[in-house]
């Protein structure tokens, strides 16, 4: 497989996981308005952020004004963004060296 093929798969994966994370934030914000509905756990939101959905969670936080008063979201999600970027870069370097 070529290097461009790998990059394309990575980009598609990142888009999908971030759209899912963004939608999870939207769904939980809507559920928070109705106390009868079961909510999505904060652990699930952090899990999505840790598996490369941090940009979707962060964008959802501010687009829907959801979880923006919780310090651990304001600090944790940007830290997970850095971790996601660093890991993705290391994977890219590793895979590009394996192909050459």
């Amino acid at each position: 497989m070529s290097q461009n093929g790998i990059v394309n798969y990575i980009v598609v994966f990142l888009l999908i996981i971030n759209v899912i994370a963004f939608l999870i934030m939207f769904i939980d914000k809507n559920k928070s308005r109705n106390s009868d509905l079961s909510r999505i756990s904060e652990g699930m939101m952090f899990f999505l952020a840790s598996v490369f959905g941090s940009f979707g969670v962060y964008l959802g936080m501010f687009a829907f004004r959801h979880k923006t008063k919780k310090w651990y979201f304001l600090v944790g999600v940007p830290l997970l963004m850095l971790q996601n970027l660093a890991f993705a870069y290391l994977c890219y370097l590793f895979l590009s060296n394996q192909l050459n």
Side-chain angles (χ1 to χ4, degrees), residues 31 47 69 95:
K31 285 184 173 191
F47 173 75
K69 293 183 180 180
L95 291 172

Side-chain angles (χ1 to χ4, degrees), residues 11-31:
V11 168
V12 168
F13 170 75
L14 290 175
L15 284 173
I16 290 170
I17 194 71
N18 279 287
V19 167
I20 290 170
F22 184 78
L23 291 174
I24 290 292
M25 295 299 283
F26 173 73
I27 291 167
D28 192 57
K29 178 63 178 187
N30 286 336
K31 285 184 173 191

Side-chain angles (χ1 to χ4, degrees), residues 6-62:
I6 291 172
V7 170
N8 290 340
Y9 283 122
I10 292 170
V11 168
V12 168
F13 170 75
L14 290 175
L15 284 173
I16 290 170
I17 194 71
N18 279 287
V19 167
I20 290 170
F22 184 78
L23 291 174
I24 290 292
M25 295 299 283
F26 173 73
I27 291 167
D28 192 57
K29 178 63 178 187
N30 286 336
K31 285 184 173 191
S32 71
R33 293 180 181 143
N34 186 350
S35 62
D36 295 338
L37 299 174
S38 62
R39 301 279 304 276
I40 298 167
S41 71
E42 292 179 346
M44 175 57 75
M45 294 175 199
F46 271 107
F47 173 75
L48 286 170
S50 68
V51 293
F52 301 103
S54 57
F55 289 96
V57 170
Y58 196 69
L59 184 61
M61 281 173 57
F62 292 101

Side-chain angles (χ1 to χ4, degrees), residues 52 82-92:
F52 301 103
L82 291 174
Q83 177 264 331
N84 290 175
L85 287 171
F87 187 74
Y89 181 69
L90 289 174
C91 287
Y92 173 76

